[in-house]
Amino acid sequence: MGRYRGAFERADVDALVDCFAFPVQIVTVTQDGASISIADAGDWPGVLARLLGAYRRLGVASIVLQEMELHEPIGAVAVVRVRWALERADGGAVYDFTGTYTVASMDGRHRIVALAHDELPKMRAALARA
C-alpha cells in the first residue's frame, strides 16, 4: 500500500499500473448499490489518468492512509481494507473514502487483482462543489 500511495502522490500512472494484475475487477459502491467492471492493461492507464486529473482539479496534495486492516485468508492472497484521506497542501480535507483490495503474490511481487471502493460518489460531490 505504501508503493501504491506513493505512486498516486507522484501522479505516476506507469507505477500505478504496475501495482495491478490484469484483468482487474473493480467494484464501485454508490448510494444505489454496486457496479462491477473489469479493466485490462490497455484500459487502466486511461482510467488512472482521469482519476489523477480529478485529483489535480480538487487540489489534492497528499493521500493519507488513515486506517488499514490486513487479512491473509489464503497463503499468497491478502485482503486489505484501507481508509484514505485526500488533503490539500494546506492540510485541508478534500474527502475520505474506503478501498478494499484483494492482493495476490505473483512472480515475487504483490499485485492488486480486485478493488472495491466508495470513492466515486465522494469525488463527484467534491468536483460539484469545486
Side-chain angles (χ1 to χ4, degrees):
M1 290 291 93
R3 182 168 53 99
Y4 182 67
R5 185 192 65 77
F8 264 111
E9 283 196 341
R10 292 188 314 276
D12 186 338
V13 172
D14 291 334
L16 282 168
V17 169
D18 193 47
C19 292
F20 291 86
F22 297 97
V24 62
Q25 179 184 30
I26 310 300
V27 179
T28 302
V29 178
T30 67
Q31 306 87 294
D32 301 324
S35 64
I36 299 169
S37 60
I38 305 293
D40 64 28
D43 300 327
W44 203 231
V47 171
L48 293 170
R50 287 188 297 279
L51 177 61
L52 291 169
Y55 284 6
R56 275 190 303 278
R57 286 191 301 281
L58 292 168
V60 173
S62 64
I63 302 168
V64 179
L65 191 154
Q66 291 188 315
E67 184 181 322
M68 183 170 80
E69 296 174 14
L70 172 67
H71 303 278
E72 297 180 78
I74 304 170
V77 177
V79 177
V80 184
R81 182 187 162 280
V82 180
R83 197 166 124 240
W84 301 102
L86 304 181
E87 297 180 348
R88 294 181 189 86
D90 65 4
V94 179
Y95 61 85
D96 66 315
F97 68 97
T98 300
T100 301
Y101 306 83
T102 302
V103 179
S105 179
M106 307 169 78
D107 301 323
R109 302 257 334 266
H110 293 96
R111 296 188 187 272
I112 299 165
V113 297
L115 162 64
H117 67 90
D118 63 357
E119 182 177 19
L120 193 56
K122 295 173 181 187
M123 178 191 306
R124 287 180 177 155
L127 287 167
R129 288 188 303 270

